[in-house]
Amino acid sequence: MRNLGIAVTFAVLLVIGYVTALEWDAVVTTDSGILFFDKNWTQISSGGHQFHHISAFAYDEVKRKLYFSDLKDPSFRIFSLDTKPEEEYHKVAKLLPKSDQTGYITGLAFDHLERKLYWTEKGTHSVYSVEVDKLGAPANATDGLINLVAQVEENHDLAALTIDECRRHLYWTNSYLQTSSIVRAAMNGTVLDDHKEDVYEPRGISVDHYNNRIYWVEKKYGRAFTVESANLEVQDRQTFLRGEDKIPTHVSPNSQYLYWIDQEDGEVHETMKSDSKVTRVVYKGSRPSALIIRSGLLVEYQKNNPSCKAVVSEIIDNVRKESSEVKDVAQAVTSKPEMITCLNKGILNHNTNSCICLPEYQGTFCEIPICNNFCVHGECVVGADSRPMCKCHAEFEGERCDRNICDGYCLNNGRCALSATGQRSCTCSKNFSGARCETAICTSDYCYNGECFVENEVPECKCNVGYRGDRCEEYTCNNYCLHDGTCILNNDTMLVECRCGSEYTGKRCEIPKRFCSLDNGNPEMQQYCEGVAIAKNLVEPQVTYCKNSFNRTVVYVSLAFTASLVTLVTILCTVRRMYERNRPRITKRFKVTNNTQMTSRPATQCEITIENCCNMNVCETPCFDTKILQKSATKAEDKQFLLDDIESIAGSYRKLPSCVAEKN
């Protein structure tokens, strides 16, 4: 009984170990070792804690081994970590010793078809490869196993490496500042494309088999960084993500997300490929350097990808052949558990004692159809990523066709219906409208002082007592009673009544009482005129109409004509004055001395300039053209008469500055 309990315990531990080996979804290398995470990014295990400077790593799906390089180990450079369930979970093996070919490894990639490990070596500016199945012997037996694939110029810094196993191409990044580039090469190292345009210090690079593109990260000048993408021919380049204050080093995609490492803050970011604005931090801790996302693996998730189907089939065939050759030997080894049986044409992987299932099956023994009960209302198909997908019926939607397309579509108790083309439409209840019955016909503020109701899909208002109007916006007594009548509400009938003044009557005080003396037979007027005492007879108001005393049109025309005529005359006079020649300015000079004795005043010598203003328009001195001067015949008499004339007009010459100065 005790032995049975021990056996059961051992079996449980074995199953737990097997599950643990399979359940990780992401692996991150850090300065404190290798960390394993589940699909929710919860750490479930760790290993390789003795390695503190892991520079690159790759994963072998067939043998479930991690290959990595540590730059601080004094003797070896490439190691493997075994994740097979029947072995120790974190067993580490030394593969390649330190040498010129392995001194400074910056990138690792594994090719499942040829089972070769490729790496970039920064010191020798070269790309090397080795067949991993031949490693594990003593160190001196590794001579001749390493092959030189490609060698670049010395002004190239090889930063990262990846493989497109489906199309058989190598990609590496050159992070040297002056010659930065993205290189695509054949598996033998022949360079096919060398993309240099707008490339600045590229680092980690990875192939996205889901979208047939490559992604790489760049540390831009200053604080900036970008995540770039291009097609597999390194064309159609696009900037996927742009930011600052990050140091990106590695990138890895799956079907929906792109994961990239920031060494500045020690973070792993998850960014949606369809919308780069949707991003979150899934890990923050010890300095990460590289990562592997399980859903991006080749054999497990690309079996149904048309571009990878042929390569994956060949890889599985190689596993089948190898398994058949060693099956008998494996069963003969008593220290190992019995080989399992794979169902539904699954292939036994003897390296891990596990099954490689066809795309349509899953489970430990390939016993579960991948589409089993997956689609609730639809047809299940296997997608390119070997995951189930649903083609839903017209009435249903969702990842598993589990949601009716009309569920929650029509609001406010509206009824949903599908057309022949699958379009949804809503029949709304009485009080709502809109494509999804989202709009209330009667809003809370439609009727200001009343209750709203719907009549023929149109809002109507039932007003409270004392209010009126289409939206009950007006107080009933506002401007209701005319001619200074007083408006009141009847407490019994709750109707509006008017208390009119002494001269008016009627429902709204609109009828003058003097009109009641007229017997016009109007019953509406008579009901208000009953009992009204008429103090005065009706007097018809006299209206006098005045005739126009003048014709305003004639007056306006006359004024306009007069104003136009005056304006025209003014313009003509102004123009004539502008073009009229000015008369010449004529002056005469006379010199008066003491010897002349022409006046009775003391003789002083001065010079007088007299203008002849009689023939000029404007002059500064008076005109001296007197009748006496006009009769003068000689020049001497002319001068004498001129001086006398000066004396007769109050001696204007005395005011001349020159004469006054000499006189003093």
Side-chain angles (χ1 to χ4, degrees), residues 134-403:
K134 295 181 180 180
L135 298 177
N140 56 4
T142 61
D143 297 338
L145 295 180
I146 299 177
N147 300 314
L148 176 64
V149 178
Q151 188 169 16
V152 298
E153 299 177 5
E154 292 186 358
N155 60 348
H156 285 60
D157 282 342
L158 299 177
L161 177 70
T162 189
I163 297 178
D164 180 6
E165 298 186 64
C166 301
R167 298 161 189 82
R168 314 303 298 159
H169 289 143
L170 293 172
Y171 296 88
W172 65 75
T173 57
N174 166 29
S175 62
Y176 193 76
L177 182 60
Q178 284 75 19
T179 61
S180 298
S181 62
I182 307 296
V183 179
R184 180 173 73 105
M187 298 300 290
N188 60 4
T190 303
V191 175
L192 302 177
D193 296 291
D194 190 2
H195 181 76
K196 297 181 179 180
E197 184 178 358
D198 296 330
V199 178
Y200 191 91
E201 293 191 38
R203 301 189 180 183
I205 188 170
S206 184
V207 176
D208 180 10
H209 292 294
Y210 297 98
N211 297 323
N212 294 330
R213 296 185 70 84
I214 58 173
Y215 288 89
W216 71 90
V217 292
E218 293 186 13
K219 179 63 179 74
K220 294 292 187 179
Y221 180 77
R223 299 163 51 196
F225 77 93
T226 60
V227 179
E228 306 286 340
S229 74
N231 60 21
L232 298 178
E233 288 74 31
V234 202
Q235 299 174 358
D236 184 30
R237 177 178 172 178
Q238 300 174 7
T239 299
F240 172 74
L241 183 66
R242 188 185 302 273
E244 294 181 349
D245 299 326
K246 305 289 184 184
I247 302 179
T249 58
H250 197 263
V251 64
S252 182
N254 66 6
S255 59
Q256 292 181 314
Y257 297 96
L258 186 72
Y259 297 87
W260 52 280
I261 287 178
D262 168 32
Q263 282 194 342
E264 177 71 17
D265 299 322
E267 297 173 341
V268 177
H269 293 257
E270 177 189 75
T271 304
M272 185 176 290
K273 290 198 292 187
S274 59
D275 185 3
S276 61
K277 296 180 180 179
V278 180
T279 184
R280 66 175 182 136
V281 176
V282 294
Y283 168 78
K284 183 178 179 65
S286 300
R287 181 183 173 91
S289 57
L291 77 160
I292 291 176
I293 304 300
R294 189 181 190 88
S295 57
L297 300 181
L298 179 70
V299 178
E300 288 191 48
Y301 292 96
Q302 304 300 325
K303 290 178 289 189
N304 209 41
N305 188 334
S307 301
C308 303
K309 210 168 186 178
V311 173
V312 175
S313 297
E314 190 173 350
I315 294 172
I316 294 176
D317 288 341
N318 293 337
V319 174
R320 181 189 293 111
K321 293 177 183 178
E322 188 177 1
S323 298
S324 61
E325 293 175 358
V326 300
K327 183 176 181 180
D328 296 335
V329 178
Q331 289 177 345
V333 178
T334 57
S335 61
K336 291 189 177 182
E338 183 179 355
M339 289 291 180
I340 64 175
T341 301
C342 299
L343 306 177
N344 297 309
K345 299 181 180 180
I347 306 302
L348 175 64
N349 182 1
H350 74 281
N351 297 288
T352 60
N353 195 23
S354 62
C355 294
I356 301 176
C357 304
L358 296 180
E360 295 81 5
Y361 295 92
Q362 62 182 355
T364 305
F365 308 103
C366 306
E367 75 279 11
I368 304 174
I370 198 171
C371 283
N372 184 38
N373 296 328
F374 186 77
C375 299
V376 181
H377 299 284
E379 179 185 357
C380 179
V381 295
V382 180
D385 57 352
S386 298
R387 294 187 177 185
M389 298 175 58
C390 292
K391 294 182 178 179
C392 302
H393 298 157
E395 299 86 358
F396 297 91
E397 62 181 359
E399 183 181 1
R400 301 184 62 186
C401 306
D402 53 348
R403 185 173 66 253

Side-chain angles (χ1 to χ4, degrees), residues 41-216:
W41 281 90
T42 301
Q43 183 177 336
I44 58 175
S45 183
S46 62
H49 300 286
Q50 66 270 37
F51 302 101
H52 302 290
H53 205 288
I54 299 176
S55 60
F57 81 137
Y59 183 62
D60 180 0
E61 297 179 57
V62 174
K63 293 191 176 182
R64 292 181 183 167
K65 287 186 177 182
L66 287 172
Y67 301 104
F68 61 94
S69 172
D70 183 76
L71 300 181
K72 294 296 184 180
D73 191 272
S75 302
F76 282 80
R77 279 294 178 265
I78 295 181
F79 306 83
S80 68
L81 187 145
D82 202 339
T83 63
K84 291 186 296 183
E86 66 272 16
E87 302 291 346
E88 295 182 22
Y89 187 68
H90 297 310
K91 181 180 179 180
V92 176
K94 300 177 180 180
L95 299 183
L96 286 177
K98 181 179 179 180
S99 65
D100 293 340
Q101 299 162 320
T102 61
Y104 198 149
I105 296 176
T106 57
L108 277 173
F110 184 73
D111 179 24
H112 292 83
L113 184 60
E114 297 181 353
R115 297 204 53 77
K116 288 184 178 181
L117 185 66
Y118 291 80
W119 69 89
T120 52
E121 206 285 320
K122 188 174 182 179
T124 58
H125 308 283
S126 302
V127 180
Y128 298 98
S129 69
V130 67
E131 295 184 36
V132 294
D133 294 336
K134 295 181 180 180
L135 298 177
N140 56 4
T142 61
D143 297 338
L145 295 180
I146 299 177
N147 300 314
L148 176 64
V149 178
Q151 188 169 16
V152 298
E153 299 177 5
E154 292 186 358
N155 60 348
H156 285 60
D157 282 342
L158 299 177
L161 177 70
T162 189
I163 297 178
D164 180 6
E165 298 186 64
C166 301
R167 298 161 189 82
R168 314 303 298 159
H169 289 143
L170 293 172
Y171 296 88
W172 65 75
T173 57
N174 166 29
S175 62
Y176 193 76
L177 182 60
Q178 284 75 19
T179 61
S180 298
S181 62
I182 307 296
V183 179
R184 180 173 73 105
M187 298 300 290
N188 60 4
T190 303
V191 175
L192 302 177
D193 296 291
D194 190 2
H195 181 76
K196 297 181 179 180
E197 184 178 358
D198 296 330
V199 178
Y200 191 91
E201 293 191 38
R203 301 189 180 183
I205 188 170
S206 184
V207 176
D208 180 10
H209 292 294
Y210 297 98
N211 297 323
N212 294 330
R213 296 185 70 84
I214 58 173
Y215 288 89
W216 71 90

Side-chain angles (χ1 to χ4, degrees), residues 590-649:
F590 298 93
K591 189 173 183 181
V592 182
T593 62
N594 292 330
N595 298 327
T596 306
Q597 297 296 327
M598 296 179 66
T599 64
S600 60
R601 297 179 182 277
T604 57
Q605 185 175 358
C606 63
E607 187 175 292
I608 302 173
T609 300
I610 301 175
E611 294 181 358
N612 186 6
C613 296
C614 300
N615 295 321
M616 298 175 62
N617 294 329
V618 180
C619 61
E620 298 176 357
T621 57
C623 177
F624 299 101
D625 192 7
T626 62
K627 295 180 180 181
I628 300 175
L629 291 176
Q630 291 176 356
K631 295 178 181 180
S632 177
T634 63
K635 293 182 178 180
E637 292 177 349
D638 183 48
K639 182 183 297 185
Q640 182 62 41
F641 286 129
L642 178 61
L643 294 175
D644 291 340
D645 200 22
I646 293 174
E647 187 72 20
S648 65
I649 62 171

